[in-house]
Amino acid sequence: ALAGLGGGVLSGLFGVGGGIVLIPLLALLLGLNQHQAQGVTLAALLLPNSLPAVLHFRSRGIPIHWPLVGAIVVAFLPGVWAGAKVANRIPEGPLRIGFVCFLLLLALRTFLQKRPAVSAVELPPMAPPWAPGLIIGLVGGCCAGLLGIGGGVVMIPMLVLWLKLPQHEAQLVSIAVLLPPVGLPGVLVYAKSQPAFPWLILIGLALGFQLGAFGGARIATRIAGPRLQRIFAGVMVALATILLLR
């Protein structure tokens, strides 16, 4: 439950699926190996855990681009299946080191990213094209299956830099993608590949995640985008350090 709560807070705060914090916590607190932690994290995200965060973002007047969300979901499904297939062919050690490197690269990119100041008034409330959404969904899905994450850490930068969405709108699109069980193809691959898949811990994870996601979203809407990005980079470095010292 504590791992789920922490993952939920970061999900709502940064607009990510929560896997980037759930995986290190599951490894440390419950002793799961990298494959088990990634599979359990994907399974925990099958429930609409991000709904409280989505509702809170909407209550703050942040618009959501539903056609873009739909395009991302369509491409996310085959991507997460393919990523999970690749992950389960990689030994536990190299997979964990790869996850650590991903967190560090993500932190570096986020810290160095410079976004031009764009007035929200200049952005018309129109849905971006479908083609970019399909590409973003495929990339996000592959990373989700390969690393056991929700995909938001990959999709949000693409939404901001490519489609020029404001930070909070990009976060809302990312967590809205997780409303349907988009990780199911990847979960089935992990469950089939891991002989002792720990299904029983999912209840506590799901409950904690629901509470944490709502609280994280409330905090996120009160923090400016650039400051939110710096906090996110620091959290990534801390989580990578935890896994390296395990």
Side-chain angles (χ1 to χ4, degrees):
L2 289 177
L5 184 64
V9 169
L10 289 189
S11 175
L13 183 59
F14 301 123
V16 298
I20 53 175
V21 66
L22 283 179
I23 291 172
L25 291 179
L26 288 172
L28 287 174
L29 300 179
L30 300 180
L32 300 186
N33 64 40
Q34 188 70 23
H35 292 94
Q36 290 175 329
Q38 293 187 182
V40 168
T41 297
L42 278 180
L45 298 177
L46 291 179
L47 297 175
N49 299 308
S50 61
L51 180 58
V54 170
L55 294 177
H56 184 72
F57 271 102
R58 291 296 295 122
S59 71
R60 302 282 295 187
I62 299 173
I64 183 169
H65 305 277
W66 285 113
L68 176 59
V69 172
I72 293 176
V73 168
V74 168
F76 193 99
L77 294 170
V80 71
W81 177 86
K85 279 286 189 180
V86 173
N88 281 278
R89 293 180 178 272
I90 301 175
E92 196 270 343
L95 187 63
R96 179 161 56 90
I97 296 300
F99 187 84
V100 169
C101 291
F102 172 78
L103 293 181
L104 293 176
L105 287 174
L106 184 63
L108 180 62
R109 186 213 61 80
T110 304
F111 184 78
L112 296 178
Q113 177 178 321
K114 294 182 179 180
R115 298 179 60 241
V118 179
S119 174
V121 178
E122 299 175 358
L123 298 175
M126 64 174 61
W130 273 74
L134 292 174
I135 295 173
I136 292 172
L138 183 62
V139 174
C142 288
C143 291
L146 179 63
L147 301 171
I149 60 179
V153 292
V154 175
M155 295 188 292
I156 290 175
M158 296 180 73
L159 290 167
V160 171
L161 297 177
W162 188 6
L163 299 183
K164 308 302 181 185
L165 290 184
Q167 180 72 21
H168 288 144
E169 288 186 26
Q171 291 180 209
L172 181 54
V173 168
S174 174
I175 57 179
V177 168
L178 298 178
L179 288 176
V182 290
L184 182 59
V187 172
L188 295 177
V189 172
Y190 276 98
K192 183 178 180 180
S193 302
Q194 300 299 314
F197 196 75
W199 292 103
L200 295 179
I201 69 175
L202 290 177
I203 298 177
L205 280 178
L207 292 176
F209 197 96
Q210 289 275 5
L211 295 175
F214 180 73
R218 291 180 63 88
I219 298 172
T221 53
R222 291 169 169 79
I223 302 177
R227 184 182 180 190
L228 200 61
Q229 290 174 336
R230 291 193 295 270
I231 296 174
F232 179 76
V235 171
M236 294 303 98
V237 172
L239 292 175
T241 303
I242 290 175
L243 277 179
L244 282 177
L245 296 178
R246 180 186 170 212

